[in-house]
Amino acid sequence: MNKSNFVLPKTYLIGYTSLNLDGLKEYLEDTNQTEFLNDIEEAQKSGINDGEILCSFYAKACYASLVLNKNKNITRIRDIEDNVKGILNSGHGSVLEHCQLNFMITNCSRVFTHELVRHRVGTAFSQTSGRYVRTDKLNVVIDPILEPAYDLVEEAREFLESWYKRLETRLDINNIKDFNHKKKLTSAMRRLLPNGQSNEIGVSLNLRTLRHTLEMRTSEHAEWEIRLVFNQIYNLVKQKFPLMFFDAKENMINGLLGITFTNRKV
């Protein structure tokens, strides 16, 4: 049995919202709030992420509390770190939506992607197109719970891979010049491929959605593969966005972390 045909998802953090200091500085100059630039500098020195600073900026802007003397009701202002923690403690979750994180996930199954795309609010998805993409090899993502029967799993995988190649030959798809017809055949042929087939998906989530989704998809009741991926996501972001996850609680459940947040109302 060739276990190299069995693959596991891997997640990459490929982008996230950052500050455009030139534009922000222009706004602060035009509104006589340049003192806030000192807060930004101190926050960056302490390792606070641009996205967290941006969330703090929008929260402070709501209450005219970027600097003193803009709001007569305010006699003191919080620094950015205390402000972000106050956001989470108070449940002011809407400002977390201003920061978005971008991930690419490889070697994931369509079982996983079908579950992932249920999270529509605050997300964006770009997935491998089974209508356009054909491959020479059928790799599959298999839950380790099936390890006692891996030989039977491989038997099924080999059959489907061989069948798919025979179907390609019968249809002579490789020699078809009309791309539109080739696309239609590829789309029709994929209907017989398994949900465990390996593919890729890009996903973007804002910080508010990510906190919610982490709790749901690292739960012990979630499916194995989606728990694995969101463990990877959590490990990628918890150091880069320390304030946004300062209230996270980690529990090891069946070899994977279960994440809960103290401030669930966010």
Side-chain angles (χ1 to χ4, degrees), residues 141-153:
V141 184
I142 298 299
D143 190 326
I145 200 172
L146 294 179
E147 185 171 2
Y150 270 1
D151 57 329
L152 296 178
V153 174

Side-chain angles (χ1 to χ4, degrees), residues 111-199:
V111 173
F112 162 77
T113 60
H114 292 346
E115 291 197 321
L116 180 65
V117 299
R118 295 175 186 170
H119 298 283
R120 294 177 294 278
V121 178
T123 59
F125 304 103
S126 298
Q127 184 174 357
T128 302
S129 172
R131 185 167 170 81
Y132 285 84
V133 179
R134 285 189 301 129
T135 60
D136 293 328
K137 187 175 182 181
L138 176 60
N139 288 328
V140 291
V141 184
I142 298 299
D143 190 326
I145 200 172
L146 294 179
E147 185 171 2
Y150 270 1
D151 57 329
L152 296 178
V153 174
E154 173 61 8
E155 182 180 321
R157 191 210 63 81
E158 283 184 344
F159 172 80
L160 285 171
E161 182 178 87
S162 173
W163 167 86
Y164 192 83
K165 290 177 180 178
R166 287 164 52 208
L167 187 59
E168 287 181 320
T169 301
R170 175 77 63 87
L171 297 171
D172 199 25
I173 190 171
N174 291 323
N175 294 317
I176 292 175
K177 304 301 182 184
D178 182 347
F179 183 77
N180 187 54
H181 184 52
K182 184 179 289 189
K183 177 184 70 176
K184 289 180 179 179
L185 286 174
T186 301
S187 180
M189 292 162 60
R190 66 176 167 167
R191 293 174 180 273
L192 279 299
L193 292 175
N195 268 343
Q197 179 189 11
S198 168
N199 72 147

